[in-house]
């Protein structure tokens, strides 16, 4: 097996590298093209790589290329965490924290996958099962702030 990593190379240039899972052998650099710290992952069919990148204005994006050569790169305006769909044809992502969308890697238009109620909850995590079923974690954050005035330290 192989393990993908995004590392800051000695040159200071972030790099997508691959090495054997057992840690043996040298890491082999796959690409340094606009790599930004984040996640890199191979599609379930083993044919493509998705990694965190940036565009000309240094905005976060996701790049998909052939694996392991990183030929034919295609960049998508997705800055957050992505997950491959089980069929390796798309990237699932959360554009506004409340629903999940799918960006087909063929470049066609993204489509909204989930349609959760506007109940204030956000998507915190999602994962596909091999059969295509989707597990989603949603929650809302409630914060309370209490301000105490006029308190005195106890005498020691």
């Amino acid at each position: 097996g192989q393990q993908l990593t995004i590392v800051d190379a000695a040159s200071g240039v972030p790099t997508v590298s691959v090495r054997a899972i057992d840690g043996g052998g040298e890491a082999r650099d796959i690409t340094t093209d606009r790599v930004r710290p984040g996640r890199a992952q191979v599609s379930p069919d083993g044919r493509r790589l998705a990694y965190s990148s940036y565009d000309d204005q240094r905005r976060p994006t996701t790049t998909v290329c052939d694996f392991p050569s990183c030929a034919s790169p295609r960049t998508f305006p997705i800055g957050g965490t992505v997950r491959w769909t089980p069929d390796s044809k798309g990237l699932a992502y959360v554009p506004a924290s409340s629903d999940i969308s799918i960006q087909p890697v063929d470049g066609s238009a993204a489509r909204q996958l989930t349609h959760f109620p506007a109940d204030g909850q956000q998507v915190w995590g999602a994962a596909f099962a091999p059969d295509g079923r989707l597990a989603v974690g949603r929650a809302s954050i409630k914060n309370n702030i209490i301000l105490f005035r006029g308190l005195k330290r106890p005498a020691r």
Side-chain angles (χ1 to χ4, degrees), residues 44-107:
D45 65 8
R47 295 178 45 216
R48 293 186 185 100
L49 168 71
Y51 66 91
S52 299
S53 56
Y54 58 89
D55 66 12
D56 291 336
Q57 286 77 42
R58 305 220 28 105
R59 291 177 296 212
T61 57
T62 297
T63 297
V64 173
C65 60
D66 296 340
F67 183 75
S69 67
C70 211
S72 305
R74 175 174 259 153
T75 301
F76 300 96
I78 304 168
T81 301
V82 299
R83 300 270 188 266
W84 283 102
T85 56
D87 63 5
S88 300
K89 293 181 179 179
L91 299 170
Y93 67 101
V94 181
S97 299
S98 60
D99 273 298
I100 297 171
S101 291
I102 301 290
Q103 172 60 62
V105 295
D106 65 7

